[in-house]
Amino acid sequence: MEYIVITYLWLAIVLYFLLGGADFGVGIIEMFTSTKNISRTRRTMYHAIGPIWEANHMWLIIAIVILFVGFPVIYSQLSVHLHIPLVILLLGIIARGTAFVFRHYDAVRDNMQEIYNSIFVWSSFITPLFLGIIAGSVLSGHIDAKAHDFATAYVFSWLNWFSVAVGLFTVALCGFLASVYLIGEAEDAKDHHRFIHKAKTMNIAAVCCGALVFLAAQVERVPLANWIFGDAVGLSAVILATLSLVLLWTQIGSGRTTLLRILVGFQVTMILLAISYAHFPDFVIIRNGENLSLFTAQAPEKTMQALGSALLIGSVLILPALFYLYYSFQKKKVNGS
Amino acid sequence: MDDFLAARMQMALSLGFHIIYACIGMVMPFFMAVSHYKWLRNGNDVYKNITKAWSKGVAIFFATGAVSGTVLSFELGLLWPEFMKHAGPIFGMPFSLEGTAFFIEAIALGFFLYGWDRFNKWFHWFTGVVVGVSGLASGILVVSANAWMNSPAGFDYVNGEYLNIDPIKAMFNDAWALQALHMTIAAFASTGFAVAGVHAAMMVQKKNVNFHLKAFRIAASFGAIAALLQPLSGDLSAKDVAKRQPAKLAAMEAHYHTQASAPLLIGGIPDPENKKVDYALEIPGMLSYLAHGNFSAEVKGLDTIPERDHPPVPVVHYAFQVMVGIGTFLMVLSVMLLIAFRRKQWLSARWFLMLFALATPLGFIAVEAGWTVTEVGRQPWIIQGIMRTADAVTPMPGIAWSFYLFTAVYISLSIVIIFLLHRQIKMVPVQYDVPAGSSQKH
C-alpha cells in the first residue's frame, strides 16, 4: 500500500505542476501581453481556464493531505522551516483565486477591473515563484533541523541561490506550459501565431533558467548533476525530455495542438522525474542530518492502508468526471457563450 | 502579542472566515437546485434568473471558500506542527475522503457554472445538485476531524506515544454524529436567513418585488425548517457534551460548583475570581434536566476539574448565550414565516420584511458563537485530555506578524466581497428584471 500512496503523492505533485502550472502560466502570459492584444487574450484565457481552474488546484490539496496523513513528520518539518515561503505562497493563492473570480463576477465594469487585473497578474507570477522556491528548498539541503538562530532556521532554509533559481525555472515552465496550451485555444490565426511566438520565447526562457539552476547548484554545492546524470533513470528522462523538445519545435506550427500539449506535458513530467528519482526514497534533504525518507517517515501501517484505499476510491470517482469536464470544455465545444 | 496567542488568534480568524464561506458554498446550491427545478418544470423565467443570480454568489463564495480552505490545510502545520505530527495519521481519514468530495464539488461547479445551454438541461440541473451534495459531504467529513479533537479515539496513548492507530475508529469518534448534525443544520439556518434577509431588504425598498419574493420564499423556507429542527439537535449535543466534556458544559453555563437540581442560567456576568455569576436569570433544575434528562440530577461543576484544565469561562458562557439567544429568535421568526405562508398579506408587510432584513447576519453570528463554544470550550486542550494547545504551537518566533498580515488580508477580502454582492444586487434590475405579468411558458 505504501507504494500506492507514494505514487499518488508523486502524481498529485506532477499534476499540480502541469495543470496548476499551466493555470499560473496563463497569468504570466497576461503579464507579457501588449495592451493592444490584452482584452482578446483575457477572453481566450477566460474560456480556456474558467471552468477548470478550481479543479486544477485541487491537486495541491490532495498532495498536502497525503503528506500530512501519510508522512506527518515531513509535513511538520517543512511547515516549520519553510514557514515564510509557505505563507507567501498561500497569500498568492488567495489573491490569485479571488482576483480571477472577482474580475469576472463584478457586475459593474469600471476601473476596479484594473485592480483585479494587476493582483491577478502579480500573484500569478509570485505564487509559482514561491512554489518553486519551496520545491528547491526541499532538495537544497539548506533545511537545518538543528539550527538555533532565526536566520539559519527560518530564512536561509529557502533564501539561497539554488531555491531562487528553481523558483524562476518554475515560473518559466508555467509560462511555457500555458503558451503551448493556449495555442490550441486561439480564436484566430493571428492569435495562433502570437501564442506560438510566446511559446518559443517562454521555452528559451525556461532553458536559460534551467541552466541557471545548474549553475546555482554548483554554487550551493547541491549534487544536482550527480543526481540527474549519474543515474540511468534520470539520464534517460533528460534525454527523452530533450528529444520531445526537439520534436515540439519541429511541430509547433503544425496545428496539431493535442500533440503539442502531450509533448510539453511529457517534457515537464520527465524533468520532475529526473529530479525526484535520483534521491528517492529521500524526500527532504536536510543539512548534515538525516534526510527525511518516504519509507522511514511514514505513518503507521493502518493509516497507510486507509489512505491508500481512500485515494483509490477517490480516483474512481474523480477521474472520469474530470476527464469529462476537460472533454466538454475543449475549444471546439465552446460556441457562442 | 505573544506568539502562542497570535497563533490561536490566526487560527480562529482563518476558521471563522472560512466557516461562513463554507456554509454558504454548501447550502446555496440547494436553494439553486430548487429554483432551477421550478424553472425547468414550469418555465417561469423568474426562477431561471434567480438561479443565475444565486449562482454568481455561489461562484464568489466557493472560490473564497476554496482558497481559504487551502490556507487552512497549510495552517494546521504552519501553526501547530507538533499537533499535526501526531494527529495527522490518526484523524487524517476524513481529510483524505474530504479531498475527494471537495474535488468532485469543484468539477461539478465547473459543469454547472459554465454549462448553461450546453448540456442536457436535466444533466445540468443534476451537476448543480452534485455541487450541493458533495459540499455537504465535505463539510460533514471535516467536522469529524474537529469532533476527534473533542473526543479522541482510534489510538492508545501510552507514555506520551500514540500507539495502535486506527484511523477508521478515529473517524467514527463519539462526538462526530451529533456535531455534524448540529453544524449541518446551522449551515442551513444561517445561510437561509442570510439570503432571505437580503431579498427581504430589497422588498422593503419595493425593488423587483416579484423576483425577490420568489427568492425569499425558497431561502426562508430552508432557513425556517432548519431553525425549527436546531433546538432538538442542540438538546442532544448538550447531553453529549455533559457526558464527554463536563468542563466545556460547565464553562458554557458558568457552572462553577457541582450541584444537584442545577439551575439554567440565562445571561449573567461570570466572575472567575470569586467563582460566581452576577445578574443571571435562573431557571431552577433546568440545567440538570437539559444535561441529564432529570430535574434533580447532579451536574458536575468546574470545581471537579483541576484549575489548570479550566477553559476560559466568560468567553464560552457569553458565546453560548449568544448562540442560544439567536437560535430562539430565529425559531420565532420561523413560526411567523409559517403563519405568513397562510396570511399572504404579511409577505408584503413592511414590519415583517424588516424583521427578516434585520435577521440577515444573525445566523452567522450564531454559527461563530457556537463554534467559539466548541473550540474555546475545549481549551486548554488541542486534543481533549491528551495534548495541550500550548505544546502544539510552532517554534517559529514572530507569529504575531503573520497574524496581522492575515487579518489585513481577510478584512480586505470581506470588504471586497460585500462590495461585489452589493453590486450584484444593484444590477438585478438591469440583468434579470422580468415584469410581473410575463411569467408564461417559453
Side-chain angles (χ1 to χ4, degrees), chain B residues 93-332:
Chain B
M93 194 60 195
F95 283 112
S96 25
L97 296 173
E98 193 253 350
T100 302
F102 193 29
F103 211 136
I104 291 173
E105 191 182 354
I107 294 173
L109 192 72
F111 276 116
F112 183 77
L113 291 179
Y114 296 84
W116 290 95
D117 308 321
R118 193 174 294 176
F119 299 105
N120 171 299
K121 59 185 185 178
W122 285 106
F123 174 75
H124 182 229
W125 178 80
F126 173 73
T127 59
V129 175
V130 173
V131 175
V133 172
S134 50
L136 206 57
S138 64
I140 290 172
L141 286 163
V142 162
V143 171
S144 159
N146 179 270
W148 178 83
M149 294 158 73
N150 285 317
S151 168
F155 63 99
D156 295 323
Y157 188 62
V158 187
N159 300 327
E161 289 198 64
Y162 298 74
L163 304 174
N164 303 323
I165 289 174
D166 184 342
I168 308 292
K169 259 193 201 150
M171 180 161 126
F172 290 97
N173 60 74
D174 292 341
W176 183 23
L178 288 176
Q179 251 190 266
L181 181 71
H182 201 62
M183 183 70 237
T184 306
I185 298 177
F188 274 93
S190 53
T191 311
F193 278 99
V195 174
V198 170
H199 291 292
M202 299 313 289
M203 284 191 281
V204 170
Q205 299 170 39
K206 302 273 179 223
K207 285 181 181 157
N208 321 96
V209 172
N210 186 35
F211 175 94
H212 289 297
L213 179 63
K214 287 187 164 58
F216 172 84
R217 290 180 74 116
I218 296 173
S221 306
F222 271 101
I225 295 169
L228 290 171
L229 290 174
Q230 191 65 312
L232 300 175
S233 133
D235 180 52
L236 293 173
S237 290
K239 290 192 165 57
D240 187 46
V241 169
K243 201 170 62 196
R244 278 186 305 96
Q245 291 172 295
K248 185 187 277 183
L249 184 87
M252 281 152 70
E253 271 298 309
H255 186 60
Y256 286 106
H257 307 286
T258 303
Q259 191 182 347
S261 305
L264 183 75
L265 301 187
I266 297 180
I269 300 174
D271 177 356
E273 291 280 307
N274 304 311
K275 308 207 180 312
K276 65 188 177 64
V277 183
D278 300 320
Y279 314 115
L281 185 69
E282 295 192 8
I283 305 178
M286 200 60 192
L287 181 60
S288 297
Y289 180 73
L290 287 178
H292 302 291
N294 176 349
F295 284 101
S296 54
E298 183 183 86
V299 180
K300 274 191 198 166
L302 285 164
D303 53 4
T304 56
I305 293 142
E307 190 107 20
R308 62 194 287 264
D309 297 345
H310 284 194
V313 174
V315 178
V316 180
H317 180 67
Y318 296 136
F320 183 62
Q321 302 295 313
V322 168
M323 176 183 82
V324 174
I326 291 177
T328 313
F329 179 71
L330 294 183
M331 232 170 74
V332 174

Side-chain angles (χ1 to χ4, degrees), chain A residues 46 49-62 64-65 68-70 72-73 75-80 82-84 86-87 89-91 93-94 97-98 100-102 104-110 112 116 150 154 299-300 302-304 306-307 309-311 313-315 317-319 321-322 324-326 328-329 333-335 337, chain B residues 10 55-56 59-60 62-64 66-79 81-82 84-93 95-100 102-104 106-107 109-111 113-116 118-119 123 162 165-168 394-399 402 405-406 409-410 413 416-417 419-420 423-424 426-427 431:
Chain A
Y46 184 72
I49 65 172
I52 54 176
W53 74 274
E54 273 168 320
N56 288 344
H57 286 269
M58 291 297 154
W59 294 111
L60 176 65
I61 298 191
I62 302 285
I64 282 301
V65 169
F68 78 58
V69 178
V73 177
Y75 172 81
S76 57
Q77 274 282 10
L78 293 180
S79 305
V80 171
L82 301 179
H83 191 114
I84 296 168
L86 282 167
V87 164
L89 174 82
L90 291 178
L91 294 174
I93 288 175
I94 297 179
T98 50
F100 183 76
V101 174
F102 292 173
H104 183 66
Y105 285 102
D106 193 336
V108 182
R109 302 273 140 179
D110 57 9
M112 278 300 285
Y116 302 138
F150 185 84
Y154 304 110
K302 261 199 166 164
T303 300
M304 295 304 268
L307 177 60
S309 332
L311 290 168
I313 296 167
S315 41
L317 293 169
I318 290 168
L319 293 178
L322 192 61
Y324 188 54
L325 181 75
Y326 288 138
S328 304
F329 289 99
K333 301 250 165 183
V334 182
N335 283 319
S337 83
Chain B
Q10 186 179 327
S55 75
K56 293 186 177 171
I60 294 171
F62 181 82
T64 314
V67 292
S68 58
T70 309
V71 170
L72 279 171
S73 66
F74 281 89
E75 266 180 342
L76 286 171
L78 291 175
L79 300 173
E82 194 55 31
M84 288 308 285
K85 194 158 98 187
H86 300 291
I90 312 174
F91 82 159
M93 194 60 195
F95 283 112
S96 25
L97 296 173
E98 193 253 350
T100 302
F102 193 29
F103 211 136
I104 291 173
I107 294 173
L109 192 72
F111 276 116
L113 291 179
Y114 296 84
W116 290 95
R118 193 174 294 176
F119 299 105
F123 174 75
Y162 298 74
I165 289 174
D166 184 342
I168 308 292
T394 179
M396 189 176 113
I399 297 297
S402 121
L405 194 62
F406 276 94
V409 168
Y410 282 138
L413 265 185
V416 177
I417 285 169
F419 168 79
L420 281 175
R423 283 184 159 193
Q424 283 286 351
K426 206 173 74 184
M427 294 303 279
Q431 294 181 328

Side-chain angles (χ1 to χ4, degrees), chain A residues 181-296:
Chain A
Y181 178 70
L182 285 175
I183 293 175
E185 301 285 318
E187 285 174 28
D188 54 31
K190 208 173 130 224
D191 272 3
H192 189 79
H193 284 295
R194 221 154 43 78
F195 289 132
I196 289 177
H197 181 69
K198 282 258 144 44
K200 287 179 178 169
T201 325
M202 286 293 176
N203 187 215
I204 293 167
V207 172
C208 295
C209 291
L212 204 63
V213 171
F214 276 99
L215 204 66
Q218 283 297 319
V219 175
E220 301 278 3
R221 286 190 224 120
V222 179
L224 184 68
N226 243 353
W227 286 338
I228 293 179
F229 302 114
D231 177 287
V233 175
L235 192 61
S236 14
V238 170
I239 292 172
L240 285 171
T242 316
L243 285 178
S244 69
L245 184 64
V246 174
L247 197 58
L248 184 77
W249 276 80
T250 61
Q251 293 291 321
I252 199 156
S254 72
R256 293 187 206 155
T257 52
T258 316
L259 175 71
L260 294 180
R261 285 178 187 178
I262 291 173
L263 282 174
V264 73
F266 176 76
Q267 220 178 316
V268 175
T269 312
M270 284 303 118
I271 293 171
L272 289 171
L273 178 68
I275 282 178
S276 59
Y277 187 82
H279 46 81
F280 178 83
D282 286 352
F283 190 81
V284 185
I285 312 293
I286 296 209
R287 163 167 298 174
N288 309 325
E290 289 161 14
N291 296 343
L292 295 177
S293 143
L294 289 170
F295 288 135
T296 53

